[in-house]
Amino acid sequence: MQHVNPHQVDPIEADKYVMRDDDSNIERAPHTSAPQRPGLKKIIQLFCLSLDHLSSGQFNIKMPLSRYTSINMLIAKYNSILDILSENHKKQLSFEKSLQEARRTAEQASVSKSRFLANMSHEIRTPINGIIGIARMLEDSPLSPDQKENVSILMDSSIFLSSLINDILDLSKIEAGKLEIENVLFQLDEVIELVKNTISFSAQRKRIRIFTENTSSIDTFLFGDHLRIRQILINLLGNAIKFTPEGGDISLHILTVEKSERVARIKFVVTDNGIGISDDNQKKIFAPFEQGDASTTRKYGGTGLGLSICKKLVELMGGKIGVTSTVGQGSKFWFELPIILGPAAENILPSIDRSAMDLVSFIREKEISILLAEDNPINQIVIKALMKKYSLMVDVVENGIQAIEAVGSGKYHIIFMDCQMPEMDGFEATKHIRNHPDVSISRIPIIALTANAMKGDKELCIKSGMNGFVGKPIDTGEFENVLRTILNPAPCPLPEAP
Ligand SMILES: Nc1ncnc2c1ncn2[C@@H]1O[C@H](COP(=O)(O)OP(=O)(O)O)[C@@H](O)[C@H]1O
Ligand SMILES: [Mg+2]
């Protein structure tokens, strides 16, 4: 037997040279096969290697039989466990693969479903808008009481259908990740006012009183998606009206929970004294298609989409939403949003001169109504605010097609028309209005609003049938001159200076 310093040889090779292991108690295998089989030391090293591989998820290092019969039993067991593990691992891999495939298929199906719903609701919206338009025209025509009743049912149903389609469209857009949150300048008071106007009719029908309280002490403009905030409020207030018996009370409270120089966390709380929601139902009503118990659903109808849309919108805007409620006593729905503070109102809105008082009192007396066609939301706010300073009543539309539709109501005295708008520009819309069969509409004064102070623009405005021209940003003096020219107010004495 050779005697070599073990530190100078590869440890795996070591047993070739010397058996220094304490293996005296281990029974050797029959002599014939012994020379090629590894000794105890090599077996231990191979074990370590195999276990290392095993711990990193590889089952490929199997143990060779050793020179010792009793250890070979252990090795055989170990190898068979390796086989089992390797087999299980293969099964798991194939299971994971099929799971991934199934997930991919499900995701694709969900995207296709959302896309289909989005397309379909869009397609359905067009004819519904047609139905609503015709119902409106019918409403304005001479009708017998029975016909009036039928038209009003037609109108209610189509408006309901349209809001349902909008909900489906919203949900499918949200699920397809296609819903974008806008960031435009708005005023909180205006949002509250519009929300109140929208829900007042259904509240009155059930003799429900609505109290609003704004203690947010926000006096600046805000940046955010006012349309979506409005949608959430209308949904929560709509639910409150729906689930509160006749003669109940509802309140909307707006407060600031946190305010820094640039951002405020604004909380909106809708409280009702209606039927309330059980603890179990409170947990599920924010999920799509979930409603309270079946009897509530039967009695009140609905799709269970409203709150899930609210939740998703609030979360898209970085906020949170929740409810506390007691069955039989009422519910308190709240949501909180971080909103970026904009400039102070006085920095945006021009002030009007005291000398304009004659014009203002004339406008008040005659209740002058303006239609503003303007697509840019910031311009809408600024121009509307300026018009309100002159006590003008203003309705806003966003493109030429809407302008033509709105002017048909015959309630406007002047149209202020942006020239560049999507769908139909101001020039085109003016030509349509000038061709209107009703002269009281076709002759309505139209003033162009345009940021393009290009030469020839004025000519283009006049050629398309407009009566005047105001540049953007609007100069108060120029605006006032246009109003004076068109309205020609009777002079009235200036108020005394203080
Ligand atoms: N103010 C409320 N009072 C009582 N229950 C409510 C109120 N708001 C919502 N719920 C419950 O939550 C459910 C889900 O509301 P929503 O998602 O708006 O769907 P829908 O109004 O179409 O049923 C309602 O069906 C109702 O059971
Ligand atoms: Mg609802």
Side-chain angles (χ1 to χ4, degrees):
M1 212 176 250
Q2 266 173 294
H3 281 274
V4 177
N5 178 355
H7 298 292
Q8 290 175 345
V9 295
D10 180 336
I12 296 210
E13 297 290 295
D15 72 303
K16 254 195 205 160
Y17 302 100
V18 70
M19 277 297 300
R20 264 182 272 107
D21 304 317
D22 182 16
D23 58 356
S24 46
N25 293 328
I26 302 173
E27 187 197 335
R28 279 180 184 262
H31 193 67
T32 44
S33 57
Q36 331 53 317
R37 293 192 173 173
L40 199 56
K41 193 160 194 165
K42 184 157 186 186
I43 285 294
I44 292 172
Q45 286 166 339
L46 283 173
F47 245 126
C48 290
L49 193 67
S50 176
L51 287 170
D52 272 354
H53 275 239
L54 191 61
S55 65
S56 63
Q58 290 169 290
F59 310 90
N60 52 349
I61 302 222
K62 280 208 185 174
M63 297 296 297
L65 288 178
S66 76
R67 289 174 199 161
Y68 309 103
T69 325
S70 48
I71 293 182
N72 285 350
M73 280 165 60
L74 198 67
I75 288 174
K77 270 254 179 300
Y78 176 79
N79 283 345
S80 74
I81 290 175
L82 270 189
D83 281 342
I84 294 170
L85 286 175
S86 162
E87 195 52 37
N88 283 348
H89 183 62
K90 273 189 210 144
K91 277 188 195 152
Q92 192 186 343
L93 283 182
S94 103
F95 178 64
E96 274 172 16
K97 202 172 152 209
S98 59
L99 213 60
Q100 271 174 0
E101 266 166 25
R103 198 177 130 183
R104 215 172 302 128
T105 317
E107 276 171 1
Q108 269 168 6
S110 166
V111 170
S112 321
K113 180 207 77 182
S114 300
R115 203 177 301 133
F116 167 74
L117 278 179
N119 288 343
M120 194 193 64
S121 5
H122 186 78
E123 288 301 309
I124 295 177
R125 243 172 15 163
T126 317
I128 290 182
N129 285 341
I131 297 172
I132 296 176
I134 299 285
R136 278 218 174 96
M137 274 167 58
L138 277 176
E139 239 179 6
D140 293 338
S141 64
L143 295 173
S144 72
D146 274 358
Q147 287 171 324
K148 254 201 170 77
E149 172 76 20
N150 289 344
V151 171
S152 117
I153 294 171
L154 176 65
M155 191 81 175
D156 278 358
S157 316
S158 44
I159 288 175
F160 175 72
L161 199 56
S162 153
S163 73
L164 201 69
I165 294 295
N166 284 343
D167 278 356
I168 296 175
L169 186 63
D170 272 352
L171 194 74
S172 51
K173 265 197 199 155
I174 294 171
E175 286 188 343
K178 292 234 175 76
L179 195 120
E180 287 183 8
I181 294 296
E182 284 207 334
N183 229 351
V184 299
L185 214 53
F186 71 95
Q187 277 180 303
L188 199 53
D189 284 340
E190 188 122 353
V191 171
I192 301 169
E193 207 48 47
L194 285 168
V195 167
K196 267 168 50 181
N197 288 346
T198 312
I199 56 160
S200 66
F201 183 65
S202 47
Q204 272 163 22
R205 264 212 284 219
K206 283 181 83 176
R207 290 185 302 103
I208 287 176
R209 292 184 300 174
I210 298 191
F211 303 90
T212 51
E213 187 185 15
N214 181 1
T215 54
S216 65
S217 62
I218 300 281
D219 49 6
T220 60
F221 275 84
L222 298 170
F223 276 111
D225 200 328
H226 60 116
L227 289 179
R228 294 301 178 182
I229 297 176
R230 217 161 94 189
Q231 182 179 359
I232 299 166
L233 283 171
I234 290 172
N235 251 319
L236 297 186
L237 286 161
N239 277 345
I241 295 171
K242 180 160 130 183
F243 298 108
T244 297
E246 283 210 8
D249 285 337
I250 292 172
S251 74
L252 166 64
H253 184 198
I254 296 142
L255 57 154
T256 304
V257 280
E258 215 179 288
K259 192 174 173 187
S260 69
E261 208 181 315
R262 289 206 58 234
V263 185
R265 259 194 108 75
I266 301 179
K267 186 169 183 173
F268 302 79
V269 188
V270 175
T271 312
D272 66 60
N273 57 2
I275 60 170
I277 308 162
S278 70
D279 288 351
D280 275 353
N281 284 340
Q282 283 176 40
K283 288 188 196 110
K284 57 178 198 178
I285 49 176
F286 289 100
F289 310 107
E290 286 289 354
Q291 297 180 291
D293 43 64
S295 59
T296 323
T297 312
R298 265 196 308 277
K299 182 164 175 200
Y300 298 94
T303 53
L305 286 178
L307 287 179
S308 62
I309 291 173
C310 289
K311 182 170 176 353
K312 294 198 162 142
L313 289 177
V314 167
E315 285 169 356
L316 275 175
M317 292 193 258
K320 39 187 193 170
I321 186 166
V323 61
T324 50
S325 180
T326 310
V327 173
Q329 290 185 18
S331 312
K332 193 186 280 279
F333 279 86
W334 58 268
F335 64 99
E336 225 180 88
L337 298 174
I339 303 187
I340 300 171
L341 299 173
E346 61 268 25
N347 290 347
I348 286 200
L349 308 179
S351 58
I352 63 166
D353 215 278
R354 294 172 58 78
S355 62
M357 290 322 284
D358 62 324
L359 183 60
V360 173
S361 29
F362 176 85
I363 289 169
R364 280 203 191 123
E365 188 193 324
K366 304 275 179 210
E367 297 184 345
I368 302 292
S369 233
I370 304 279
L371 177 68
L372 170 64
E374 163 69 68
D375 62 313
N376 181 308
I378 299 180
N379 287 340
Q380 285 176 2
I381 290 180
V382 176
I383 300 171
K384 221 161 91 176
L386 173 67
M387 291 180 171
K388 281 192 176 166
K389 287 210 163 185
Y390 282 90
S391 296
L392 292 159
M393 287 177 285
V394 199
D395 288 335
V396 183
V397 291
E398 289 170 7
N399 60 47
I401 298 177
Q402 289 175 6
I404 296 171
E405 201 184 301
V407 84
S409 69
K411 70 179 223 196
Y412 301 106
H413 299 92
I414 311 174
I415 305 174
F416 280 83
M417 183 89 84
D418 182 21
C419 294
Q420 253 64 54
M421 287 184 290
E423 315 238 357
M424 184 191 283
D425 67 20
F427 306 118
E428 190 71 26
T430 304
K431 281 185 208 153
H432 278 275
I433 294 169
R434 292 292 175 245
N435 287 328
H436 199 283
D438 181 344
V439 284
S440 66
I441 289 170
S442 70
R443 289 193 190 155
I444 188 167
I446 302 178
I447 306 298
L449 284 170
T450 174
N452 313 338
M454 300 272 290
K455 238 178 144 189
D457 263 5
K458 198 166 181 172
E459 286 72 23
L460 207 57
C461 293
I462 304 296
K463 216 165 119 191
S464 64
M466 295 177 178
N467 305 71
F469 176 95
V470 175
K472 280 195 293 193
I474 296 190
D475 172 78
T476 319
E478 197 180 356
F479 178 70
E480 204 177 304
N481 280 342
V482 166
L483 284 183
R484 281 187 189 283
T485 317
I486 292 172
L487 298 175
N488 194 14
C492 78
L494 284 182
E496 291 287 315

